[in-house]
Amino acid sequence: MSDQDGKKPLGIGGGARSGTVKQSFARGRTNNVVVETKRKRIAVPKPGAQSAAAVNAQGGRSTGGTTDAEMERRLKALQMAKAREAEDTERRAREEKEREDERARRRADIEAKEREERERVELARQRAEEDERRQREATEARTRPAEPTPAEPTAAEQPRQRNLGPDARPGRSDGPRKRDDDSGKPRTGDRRSGKLTLNQALAGGEGGRQRSLASMRRKQERQRKGGGNVVQEKVMREVRLPETIVVSELANRMSERVAAVVKALMQNGMMVTQNEVLDADTAELIIEEFGHTVVRVSDSDVEQVIDVIEDKPESLVDRAPVITIMGHVDHGKTSLLDAIRKTKVAPGEAGGITQHIGAYQVEAGGKPLTFLDTPGHAAFTSMRARGAQVTDIVVLVVAADDQVMPQTIEAIAHAKAAEVPIIVAINKIDRPGANPQKVRTDLLQHEIVVEEMSGDVQDVEVSAKTGDGIDKLLEAIAIQAEILELKANPARAAQGTVVEAKLDVGRGPVATVLVQNGTLRRGDIFVVGEQWGKVRALVDDQGQRVDEAGPSFPVEVLGLNGTPGAGDILNVVATEAQAREIAEYRESAAKDKRAAAGAATTLDQMMAKARDDKDVSELPLVIKADVRGSAEAIHQALEQIGNEEVRVRILHSGVGAITESDITLAEASNAPVIGFNVRANAPARAAANQKTVEIRYYSVIYDLLDDIKQAASGLLSAEIRETFIGYAEIREVFRVTGVGNVAGCLVTEGVARRSAGVRLLRDDVVIHEGTLKTLKRFKDEVREVQSGQECGMAFERYDDIRKGDIIEIFEREEVERTLD
């Protein structure tokens, strides 16, 4: 059979045809590929067969056996594929165009910046040349003689004018005007230089950025006024750099943008915000990077605004001496001052003793004298030291019917430490047992040699009760003041010392200030310790308001924002901001100091402190006093109460009335509230009754210290005292059912009691200590057995007893302990 077998060959009817296919790649790249395309093979029907149309009409199938629905799905899929390909092609073309536009814009930006920089340099050069030319022309005009007035044009000039056309203007040259470049157009610093590029044309000449109309108008206005484009020169500053500084504050002090400072820090590897705090070293690097100069300052530099002025000799004037009355308690210090002032202060003192510093000024011989009265009680050591530090002369009061006492010795030490002269006032010479000579002799032991005993210390015999010797005492003070030649400058900012401070109801914080230099006036802004304020009023020792206080003048100052500490220095400053800044710095420094003093540095120290405090009983207290000096003295006295087993802990110490917050603090710590010359207000009393908090009031420091000492003694554990009462020797050991081993003993010494404690000794070594379970004589239970008698003993929960052991019998008793 042949290959054809009567059929037409199946072929592509003409062979292969060539064609091209477009390939697409990433980033919009394409490639045309030549491919070979073959025709679809078509089956030729035999003669007589039904046509394809008839078959489709009958069976619904195509020649190749494919249904119409399938053909339709294929056509739709083909159309969708072509649509996706068209979209992809369009998207790639669009992205390529955008990338090209971005590259063109960036190139235009770079070229615009370079062009602006060239224009700026060219404009600066032109200005420099113009200034130089003008200066040169001005110099030539000054040196050149005056030229004659121009006359008629000469013959040589006439042909030139004849050549001018009808449109010519006078003064215009006959030749064409030269231009700065080849195009013939004049060039300025504001016009485009060089050839126009395609990128510039597409980007609008300025990289797509156009200046606003208002900006163009401002620029034209500056040019009209002759300003042009002024190049701002950077100002180099001196930046005051503290120990720490916030980023925004650093930028403010450098006059730089905060974003620029943050960027510089990020370039140095620090990811910070404008609210971060930088140390001084890091901030110094940034300041130097910006080209500024660093001036390192410390936090304590805020106090430099307090003027330390060296007074000139011609500005000094005489001032009143400051005399401090010192001595032992109940030696008549306040009574002597009363006799000088001719007042009655001493009877009004609680308990007849002075408990805070009083400052007074009196006239003697037409000259003012300032007196400070200090307490003599042992608890007021700090007050006496403070009085000696601000004084010029110390009057040491010693009772003639007494002797040199501990506080007298302490006052002598304070006066010597302050290097101030001493005048001895031997008081109470009107008493029957007065012996002034004994006082002078006792003072020799403390290196006080009076004039009567060939020394250099003045001594005066006085009586505060009768007034004898007061004039001689004032005369001695005046002589000593003349020797000292006391002077001060009243025309400067005031400086003084707080001798006492309190919280007064209705007036607020009040400080008794002794002005030492300058003049304190109403309205002055001052800083004192950790507090600051503005002088609202000045009150003298007579209760009268005054407008100013000069050197050596004691006044009460009103207008503080808080109660200062006794002994703080008052300084007048220029502004409230300076006063507030100094007070905040001092408060922060004091807080850090207290925290450092109370904190353990290592974990071992904390554990050791906890072990030490484990067996220590504490008596917590809340103290409120009328003045700062009394609170300080009470605090110091209470800290000395206690031993290694018990101590007093001050939860809070302040001045002013007892408030509800004090009651809340005391209730939280189960502590009593101590009021010294103050009372609780109504809310505090109600809160104390509700929370069962004890409030105790005192007016005399003796009573307060005695009660606290007694309360602290109650926290001491009772002392156990042991008393030996007898010995017994074991002669035999018996075993008794239900009882255990029973020792047959002979009491060899003392007595054996059933209630007593016993120790079992074997070869003089204690092997057991306990109590007796039974004590029998014959078969009867007895309370005690006398020496020389036999008895039976059994120990409580102990059976290891042997013949020959010794039983020691003793009794214990508890003894209450007290603090010394």
Side-chain angles (χ1 to χ4, degrees):
M1 183 181 292
S2 64
D3 295 335
Q4 299 294 332
D5 195 17
K7 298 180 182 179
K8 288 186 179 182
L10 298 174
I12 59 177
R17 293 183 298 173
S18 62
T20 59
V21 175
K22 186 175 183 181
Q23 292 181 326
S24 299
F25 300 96
R27 302 186 182 277
R29 293 183 291 111
T30 59
N31 185 22
N32 293 328
V33 181
V34 179
V35 298
E36 182 181 292
T37 306
K38 292 185 179 182
R39 294 180 181 178
K40 186 176 180 181
R41 185 171 62 180
I42 301 174
V44 181
K46 296 181 180 180
Q50 292 181 349
S51 63
V55 175
N56 292 335
Q58 296 175 3
R61 291 185 177 274
S62 63
T63 310
T66 305
T67 62
D68 292 339
E70 187 175 356
M71 289 297 295
E72 187 177 354
R73 286 196 301 272
R74 291 180 181 179
L75 288 174
K76 287 183 179 180
L78 181 61
Q79 291 174 359
M80 291 176 63
K82 288 182 179 181
R84 283 196 298 270
E85 183 178 358
E87 289 178 359
D88 292 342
T89 303
E90 183 181 357
R91 178 177 53 78
R92 287 193 294 270
R94 186 170 60 252
E95 291 176 353
E96 181 65 25
K97 186 176 182 303
E98 290 177 356
R99 284 193 291 270
E100 184 64 29
D101 291 344
E102 180 66 18
R103 287 194 291 270
R105 188 183 63 78
R106 290 181 180 176
R107 287 195 296 269
D109 288 345
I110 294 173
E111 291 175 0
K113 290 180 182 179
E114 293 177 352
R115 182 169 62 257
E116 290 176 0
E117 182 66 21
R118 289 196 300 270
E119 290 175 357
R120 188 182 63 79
V121 174
E122 181 65 20
L123 181 60
R125 185 186 61 77
Q126 289 179 3
R127 284 183 180 171
E129 292 178 356
E130 182 68 18
D131 293 342
E132 185 179 356
R133 183 182 62 76
R134 289 178 181 175
Q135 186 177 3
R136 186 171 61 251
E137 288 178 356
T139 305
E140 291 177 356
R142 287 195 299 270
T143 57
R144 185 172 61 237
E147 295 182 358
T149 305
E152 294 295 328
T154 60
E157 296 173 346
Q158 290 178 359
R160 183 176 179 181
Q161 293 186 3
R162 284 193 299 271
N163 293 334
L164 296 175
D167 298 334
R169 293 190 299 272
R172 184 172 180 178
S173 61
D174 53 351
R177 184 176 180 183
K178 295 295 182 181
R179 299 186 179 183
D180 295 340
D181 55 5
D182 296 338
S183 63
K185 295 181 180 180
R187 291 177 55 186
T188 63
D190 296 333
R191 291 185 177 273
R192 184 185 295 114
S193 62
K195 296 180 179 181
L196 180 65
T197 64
L198 179 61
N199 291 331
Q200 292 174 354
L202 292 175
E206 292 295 335
R209 293 183 178 178
Q210 296 291 336
R211 298 185 66 174
S212 64
L213 183 60
S215 176
M216 295 297 294
R217 287 177 178 172
R218 288 194 299 269
K219 181 178 179 182
Q220 292 174 1
E221 185 67 23
R222 287 196 301 269
Q223 289 177 349
R224 246 194 327 271
K225 292 180 180 179
N229 292 328
V230 180
V231 180
Q232 295 286 344
E233 293 186 1
K234 186 173 182 178
V235 179
M236 301 305 172
R237 306 177 184 275
E238 283 191 355
V239 181
R240 297 176 64 84
L241 180 62
E243 296 174 1
T244 58
I245 189 170
V246 181
V247 174
S248 58
E249 177 63 20
L250 177 62
N252 184 29
R253 296 190 182 188
M254 293 192 297
S255 296
E256 302 284 352
R257 293 185 301 112
V258 177
V261 177
V262 172
K263 181 179 178 182
L265 287 166
M266 288 183 177
Q267 290 175 350
N268 284 275
M270 295 185 63
M271 308 300 292
V272 298
T273 63
Q274 64 176 357
N275 298 321
E276 296 283 345
V277 178
L278 302 177
D279 60 276
D281 295 335
T282 303
E284 183 175 358
L285 293 175
I286 299 302
I287 293 171
E288 292 176 350
E289 185 174 333
F290 278 89
H292 301 290
T293 305
V294 180
V295 179
R296 284 287 192 102
V297 296
S298 175
D299 292 340
S300 60
D301 291 345
V302 297
E303 296 186 343
Q304 291 181 354
V305 298
I306 299 176
D307 296 331
V308 181
I309 302 175
E310 291 292 336
D311 297 319
K312 297 180 180 179
E314 57 270 17
S315 63
L316 300 177
V317 298
D318 293 336
R319 66 173 178 85
V322 179
I323 304 102
T324 300
I325 309 294
M326 302 179 72
H328 190 69
V329 62
D330 201 27
H331 275 203
K333 299 181 295 300
T334 306
S335 300
L336 180 61
L337 184 59
D338 291 345
I340 296 174
R341 297 178 62 206
K342 296 180 176 61
T343 59
K344 297 295 181 181
V345 176
E349 296 280 4
I353 63 171
T354 301
Q355 300 182 117
H356 33 70
I357 292 180
Y360 315 96
Q361 194 168 53
V362 300
E363 292 283 340
K367 294 183 179 181
L369 300 176
T370 300
F371 283 91
L372 300 180
D373 183 17
T374 62
H377 190 269
F380 297 98
T381 300
S382 57
M383 287 191 181
R384 288 189 291 274
R386 195 159 53 245
Q389 290 170 359
V390 299
T391 191
D392 300 315
I393 301 170
V394 169
V395 175
L396 183 65
V397 179
V398 185
D401 60 344
D402 203 346
Q403 57 185 346
V404 176
M405 302 296 287
Q407 274 64 59
T408 310
I409 301 171
E410 183 186 309
I412 294 172
H414 289 319
K416 289 183 178 180
E419 297 181 354
V420 294
I422 298 175
I423 297 176
V424 177
I426 303 176
N427 194 19
K428 301 183 180 181
I429 59 172
D430 58 310
R431 292 286 184 88
N435 187 359
Q437 195 63 30
K438 181 179 183 301
V439 173
R440 298 186 181 98
T441 305
D442 291 344
L443 290 174
L444 291 175
Q445 302 177 10
H446 307 286
E447 301 178 359
I448 300 297
V449 184
V450 299
E451 291 180 344
E452 190 173 323
M453 304 187 74
S454 303
D456 55 355
V457 177
Q458 299 183 74
D459 66 305
V460 182
E461 296 181 4
V462 297
S463 173
K465 185 176 182 180
T466 62
D468 295 340
I470 299 296
D471 295 336
K472 292 182 179 179
L473 178 61
L474 294 176
E475 183 181 352
I477 292 173
I479 293 173
Q480 189 65 57
E482 289 181 3
I483 295 174
L484 294 176
E485 296 182 355
L486 303 172
K487 295 181 180 296
N489 180 13
R492 55 171 289 180
Q495 178 181 358
T497 301
V498 177
V499 296
E500 196 56 272
K502 61 183 178 180
L503 186 63
D504 195 350
V505 178
R507 298 195 300 172
V510 180
T512 302
V513 177
L514 175 65
V515 181
Q516 295 173 295
N517 214 340
T519 301
L520 184 63
R521 299 178 176 86
R522 287 181 56 190
D524 284 347
I525 299 168
F526 62 90
V527 59
V528 50
E530 301 174 23
Q531 312 298 332
W532 68 279
K534 185 176 182 180
V535 179
R536 191 170 73 242
L538 297 174
V539 182
D540 63 8
D541 60 318
Q542 303 296 328
Q544 303 296 323
R545 293 207 172 192
V546 294
D547 292 331
E548 61 181 28
S552 301
F553 196 89
V555 287
E556 286 187 341
V557 179
L558 282 70
L560 294 106
N561 70 327
T563 308
D568 288 345
I569 304 299
L570 180 144
N571 293 100
V572 173
V573 295
T575 63
E576 288 187 9
Q578 292 176 351
R580 187 182 297 108
E581 190 176 8
I582 294 172
E584 289 176 354
Y585 162 71
R586 290 178 176 175
E587 183 179 4
S588 176
K591 189 182 298 181
D592 294 342
K593 185 177 180 181
R594 288 192 294 267
T601 56
T602 63
L603 182 60
D604 293 339
Q605 292 179 354
M606 293 176 64
M607 295 178 65
K609 187 176 185 301
R611 286 194 300 268
D612 294 341
D613 295 346
K614 182 177 63 175
D615 298 329
V616 178
S617 300
E618 289 185 339
L619 176 62
L621 295 174
V622 176
I623 306 295
K624 295 300 287 290
D626 56 342
V627 296
R628 179 70 69 178
S630 296
E632 177 185 334
I634 294 170
H635 193 288
Q636 294 176 354
L638 292 179
E639 284 183 341
Q640 298 176 2
I641 295 177
N643 53 22
E644 65 278 359
E645 296 182 37
V646 63
R647 64 187 176 196
V648 176
R649 182 163 65 98
I650 308 297
L651 299 176
H652 173 66
S653 176
V655 296
I658 299 172
T659 62
E660 193 173 356
S661 61
D662 299 326
I663 302 300
T664 303
L665 175 62
E667 190 263 340
S669 302
N670 195 22
V673 180
I674 305 299
F676 187 78
N677 287 331
V678 295
R679 292 295 182 268
N681 54 29
R685 289 196 299 270
N689 292 332
Q690 180 183 0
K691 299 176 181 179
T692 64
V693 174
E694 182 183 9
I695 302 177
R696 289 199 175 191
Y697 299 117
Y698 296 93
S699 298
V700 181
I701 196 171
Y702 296 115
D703 301 335
L704 188 153
L705 296 180
D706 291 343
D707 286 356
I708 298 301
K709 188 177 294 185
Q710 185 177 359
S713 299
L715 297 177
L716 290 173
S717 58
E719 181 182 357
I720 304 300
R721 292 183 181 177
E722 189 176 289
T723 304
F724 167 78
I725 61 174
Y727 279 116
E729 180 183 354
I730 299 177
R731 297 293 180 91
E732 196 64 54
V733 177
F734 305 97
R735 183 70 180 179
V736 178
T737 304
V739 178
N741 290 339
V742 176
C745 304
L746 174 65
V747 179
T748 58
E749 183 179 348
V751 62
R753 291 194 182 98
R754 185 177 178 184
S755 59
V758 291
R759 293 189 184 94
L760 183 63
L761 307 181
R762 186 173 297 162
D763 298 331
D764 295 328
V765 177
V766 178
I767 61 173
H768 174 69
E769 180 175 342
T771 58
L772 292 177
K773 182 167 58 173
T774 180
L775 176 63
K776 290 188 176 183
R777 174 146 175 84
F778 301 111
K779 292 183 179 182
D780 300 326
E781 284 284 341
V782 294
R783 294 176 56 87
E784 65 179 27
V785 177
Q786 298 295 328
S787 175
Q789 296 179 353
E790 293 181 348
C791 62
M793 296 183 185
F795 292 90
E796 192 77 38
R797 294 189 298 274
Y798 189 78
D799 286 339
D800 185 17
I801 54 178
R802 301 177 186 176
K803 182 179 178 181
D805 291 344
I806 303 298
I807 299 175
E808 182 182 64
I809 308 164
F810 60 89
E811 288 183 343
R812 292 190 179 97
E813 63 177 340
E814 293 184 355
V815 180
E816 294 294 333
R817 300 165 59 199
T818 59
L819 291 171
D820 295 333

